[in-house]
Amino acid sequence: MNSDRPQDCAPEVSVIIPTVSQAAHLAACLGALRHAHADSPTPPDVIVVLNGADTAVRDVAHAASGVRIVDSPTNRGFAGGCHLGVRSSVAPFIAFLNDDVLVSPGWLEPLLQTMAERPRAGAVGPRVIGGDGLVQEVGSIIWRDGTTRPFGRGTSRASLAWRWRRRVDYCSACALLVRREAWDAVGGFDEQYHPAYYEDVDFCLALDLVGLEVWVDPRSEVIHAESASSSSHFKQFLFARHHQRLVLQRGALLESRVAAPTEAAHVPLAEAAAVARLEGTGPRVLVVDDRVPSHGIGSGFDRMADMLHGLADCGARVRVLPTELEARFVPSLAGAGIAVVDGGDEAFEREVGASDVVIVSRPNNARRACTLFERLPPERRPRLVYDAEALYHRRLLRQAGLADDDATASLLRTQAAAWLEAEIAIAGCADEIVCVSRDEAAFFEAHGARRVRVMTPWLCRAAPTEASLAGRADIAFVAGWLAGASSPNGDALEWFVTEVLPLVVAEVPWARVRVTGSLPAPLDRFEGMHLHAEGFVPDLADFYRRVRVAIAPLRFGAGVKLKTVEALQYGVPVVATTVGAEGLEGLQGEVIAVHDDAVAFAAAVVARLRDVDTWRAHRAAIDRAMAGVPTSTDWAAWLVDTTMEGADVRHPV
């Protein structure tokens, strides 16, 4: 034994590495593990099983620090070596690794999270990348004839294909986290699959027999130098022999699997059927937006990210298709089982055709969807829901009213007229429209919308900060800058800094505005003693915990402003303009201080910076108002009801 672990530090995971003859691979494997867990307070218990190993392998194992060694004078095969390692471990989770696998920092956490969130999961595997940089597997299919197919094999590492957490038939034991209780329930790997191959397929089928599940979590990645330990000819022989054994042992269970496709053209449909067999019966929901939504980027995408998680939590099978910016991997979405689809017209039509409900945000996307839906026969039309996060024509008309010259104002009014026409057309096309305010709902109702619902965009991630002034000293302006300096946020910040802030500083010399994000030019000229650009803020709760008042000084825009909603949910007093408080009419006055005049706006900010009683009274009013806000669970259920009720869903919850 060669271990530096304190004896009183019980590991959560034992990593078991059977090894025979690949000394260089083992050294790299152990080095990657050491690097990945260098800063971990409770690193895994690493057990190297010398499985009839040669001298070079033994030298590597004995020279490694933080490693326990189990020595077998004979090669007991992969399954037998794993059993030796398991018997020497006590951790509740066992991670099996081939000696030719390289883990990366953070590889284990998503797998453990899946185990925690999916109590019926007996095993979970990572996304496996080959040494050539191509995908080896993101989980695998077991066909009815006992053969297998890895999801995503041969695709680019950058590919989004199959890159979301889900149930699968099996994951390769080259890197597999197993719950010890599950291992014990089925007796582990069958040692008759000697020396290797198909023991992991058989093991995953055995888990199914006892009611346990296999998952893949592509937030975790490892690199695998496949077949480094056996020749191609010998591997083919083992595959053929062990496949025959699997069919004899598990033939009855294999009957429930999808038939293997006989032609390459049929593979996509067969893969989809294999996924559908395990993914549940929730409605298939396609969400279309300009970009892949995620928290912290502003422009309404935080609200859409909440919507996606709410749908997934309530059992919907969710896919996201971005139309303006390139699709990208978002770990939080992948962890929720939400697929991201690469865009394009062909993908758009394909995904619409495979959906029960299509939720489209922003009028440019809705206009495109309406054009497609007009061509579809009624029996092929999914339910179309328009997410009206704002009235775009209204935003442009307000901006035109503030324009410095007639030419700009005229251009903005022309654009507003085009958006008005589009939004009226959407009212006639969509099966349902979800609005953020009663006022905007009235617009769609007046233009013939079939069904309109109002859903105030309370955010799921926000929770009240401490009702204390301790540590609070600044003014917060929470903004996204995707639309640049000419956006409503840019105009708001310029008006506040030039018209309001000098009045505030005259009364409170220490006053400082903290602005989230990186300011675009020319707004960056305002940075200095009284304004600080925070850059990306990873922890908004901590940010709101340190500010005394939040501002929403918008002079144009439409819809409910998420910065106002968010500040209230975090328990921070808000001073807003009429536009900044729009859609929250029942909260204006006592809960939101509303002023359009620079002098009055400044006085309200000063009072909350300097007067303890004013701040506490405002905070108490917020707490009373927020007590009636739906919880995230209520919000998600309401969302599903809003989008699904009355739909002709082919795959009902």
Side-chain angles (χ1 to χ4, degrees), residues 94-165:
I94 306 152
F96 298 104
L97 281 187
N98 281 12
D99 59 5
D100 54 4
V101 165
L102 303 177
V103 303
S104 54
W107 73 286
L108 200 50
E109 285 78 3
L111 306 182
L112 288 169
Q113 183 183 350
T114 295
M115 286 293 195
E117 294 175 355
R118 303 291 174 179
R120 296 185 66 82
V124 57
R127 185 176 189 238
V128 182
I129 307 298
D132 57 3
L134 299 179
V135 175
Q136 282 186 6
E137 70 160 277
V138 196
S140 295
I141 300 166
I142 305 174
W143 300 120
R144 190 176 299 162
D145 63 3
T147 59
T148 64
R149 178 179 178 82
F151 285 108
R153 188 174 183 87
T155 56
S156 163
R157 187 174 190 173
S159 172
L160 296 172
W162 310 111
R163 208 169 174 188
W164 67 95
R165 185 171 75 172

Side-chain angles (χ1 to χ4, degrees), residues 83 256 291 364 404 496 610:
H83 275 279
S256 65
R291 63 188 294 160
N364 53 306
D404 293 330
F496 181 82
R610 197 166 59 181

Side-chain angles (χ1 to χ4, degrees), residues 142-147 193 198 201-202 205 239-255:
I142 305 174
W143 300 120
R144 190 176 299 162
D145 63 3
T147 59
Y193 291 94
Y198 266 95
V201 181
D202 177 78
L205 288 171
F239 262 69
R241 184 180 74 176
H242 293 171
H243 170 247
Q244 184 179 25
R245 175 176 174 79
L246 182 84
V247 172
L248 289 173
Q249 292 285 102
R250 307 293 186 189
L253 185 58
L254 290 172
E255 286 300 314

Side-chain angles (χ1 to χ4, degrees), residues 298-317:
S299 299
F301 291 106
D302 287 70
R303 171 180 167 275
M304 179 56 80
D306 275 356
M307 178 184 286
L308 294 173
H309 285 276
L311 286 165
D313 288 345
C314 288
R317 294 175 283 177

Side-chain angles (χ1 to χ4, degrees), residues 44 75 96 163 217 233 292 348 355 396 425 446 449 472 498 513 581 623 642 645:
N75 184 351
F96 298 104
R163 208 169 174 188
D217 193 331
H233 179 75
V292 179
F348 188 88
S355 301
L396 287 165
R472 298 184 185 272
T498 57
V513 183
D623 289 342
T642 298
E645 185 181 309

Side-chain angles (χ1 to χ4, degrees), residues 30-94:
L30 294 175
L33 273 168
R34 194 161 49 247
H35 174 68
H37 298 282
D39 299 323
S40 173
T42 55
D45 177 27
V46 179
I47 300 173
V48 174
V49 179
L50 298 174
N51 213 8
D54 62 25
T55 301
V57 167
R58 290 173 175 275
D59 289 345
V60 168
H62 284 288
S65 61
V67 170
R68 292 200 294 129
I69 294 174
V70 175
D71 197 342
S72 171
T74 59
N75 184 351
R76 299 185 54 173
F78 182 78
C82 288
H83 275 279
L84 287 176
V86 172
R87 285 198 289 270
S88 297
S89 70
V90 295
F93 296 99
I94 306 152

Side-chain angles (χ1 to χ4, degrees), residues 196-209:
Y197 306 121
Y198 266 95
E199 66 282 286
D200 46 8
V201 181
D202 177 78
F203 175 73
C204 291
L205 288 171
L207 292 177
D208 191 8
L209 274 175

